[in-house]
Amino acid sequence: MLNIVLFGPPGAGKGTQSEKIISKYSLTHISTGDLFRKHLSEGTDLGKLAQKYMDEGNLVPDEVVIGMVEVKIKETGDVAGFIFDGFPRTVAQAEALDQLLESRNTPISGMVALEVEDDELRNRILERGKDSGRADDQSIDKINNRISVYKNETLPVAEFYKNQDKFYPINGVGSIDSIFENICDKIDSFK
Ligand code: AMP
């Protein structure tokens, strides 16, 4: 199985690139942000709980995120592999993911990390906010908070995969297709 963690700050292009990766490698997509937005739109208890964190650009508590991913992994039958997008965002989530995959006898193959400067991220998210309807895309304070949460709480996850020799950085600035080509080169190297 090919199990990929697609990593990067908010606005790095994870959503765009994951769509292309999924269709090329036939992977099953697990985006915790998308799953929370689905719960929100359906008005579930989980969605209501997550909303106050999401609206401010803060992380939803680990046990809530891990529980949701566990359900998703367990309900998925035989697949070619998973792409995790926006997850794990803390070291505790990364440790939990290793355990969840151990129960399926299939480890993470590698983390692909999209790297983009802060100013570019802010511009991209504000631009996306014009159409996305996402409260967390529309105020510069919330965007700045998401970037600082990423630096303080999420960046250590890169170290976690570096320590396992599974960290593959990619320049996230350039055309969508050239970034995708670089991603595929990395993925093909750990298949
Ligand atoms: P995203 O679409 O990945 O930018 O996620 C949107 C929001 O959902 C984040 O700002 C968090 O509030 C929440 N969220 C998504 N994934 C996670 C995660 N793995 N851990 C904690 N919170 C998350």
Side-chain angles (χ1 to χ4, degrees):
M1 267 175 88
L2 179 65
N3 295 314
I4 296 169
V5 173
L6 187 60
F7 189 73
K14 298 188 293 295
T16 305
Q17 294 296 337
S18 63
E19 278 179 29
K20 294 173 76 70
I21 298 168
I22 290 158
S23 69
K24 175 160 178 177
Y25 296 95
S26 308
L27 300 178
T28 297
H29 191 206
I30 298 191
S31 158
T32 44
D34 286 354
L35 289 172
F36 282 131
R37 279 185 288 278
K38 186 158 183 281
H39 276 281
L40 252 175
S41 71
E42 291 169 355
T44 68
D45 288 345
L46 182 60
K48 284 177 196 144
L49 191 158
Q51 180 165 25
K52 59 180 188 287
Y53 299 97
M54 294 174 75
D55 280 354
E56 295 307 316
N58 292 321
L59 294 186
V60 178
D62 282 337
E63 62 274 18
V64 177
V65 186
I66 292 165
M68 183 176 72
V69 172
E70 181 174 10
V71 167
K72 189 79 192 161
I73 289 180
K74 289 200 167 143
E75 75 186 18
T76 304
D78 283 344
V79 289
F82 292 101
I83 180 163
F84 297 96
D85 166 2
F87 176 88
R89 260 175 156 102
T90 63
V91 171
Q93 292 179 19
E95 287 168 348
L97 179 60
D98 272 0
Q99 279 188 358
L100 286 173
L101 291 177
E102 216 169 89
S103 65
R104 287 181 77 117
N105 281 319
T106 169
I108 289 295
S109 315
M111 165 187 268
V112 173
L114 294 172
E115 298 186 332
V116 178
E117 294 287 328
D118 292 359
D119 279 344
E120 172 75 10
L121 296 174
R122 282 188 269 269
N123 291 337
R124 286 187 190 181
I125 299 172
L126 283 171
E127 197 52 41
R128 178 174 75 186
K130 291 179 188 164
D131 299 318
S132 72
R134 285 176 52 171
D136 60 345
D137 279 352
Q138 296 185 13
S139 108
I140 193 70
D141 288 345
K142 288 177 186 174
I143 295 170
N144 283 333
N145 185 44
R146 285 160 70 198
I147 294 173
S148 68
V149 165
Y150 170 78
K151 288 184 177 162
N152 296 329
E153 300 180 54
T154 302
L155 260 185
V157 177
E159 290 303 313
F160 180 89
Y161 289 99
K162 276 182 201 165
N163 291 337
Q164 297 187 3
D165 282 330
K166 291 180 179 174
F167 179 75
Y168 300 87
I170 301 266
N171 181 359
V173 181
S175 73
I176 291 174
D177 286 339
S178 70
I179 297 167
F180 180 58
E181 235 174 78
N182 290 333
I183 293 175
C184 293
D185 284 348
K186 300 288 183 203
I187 293 177
D188 293 337
S189 78
F190 50 72
K191 265 210 298 184

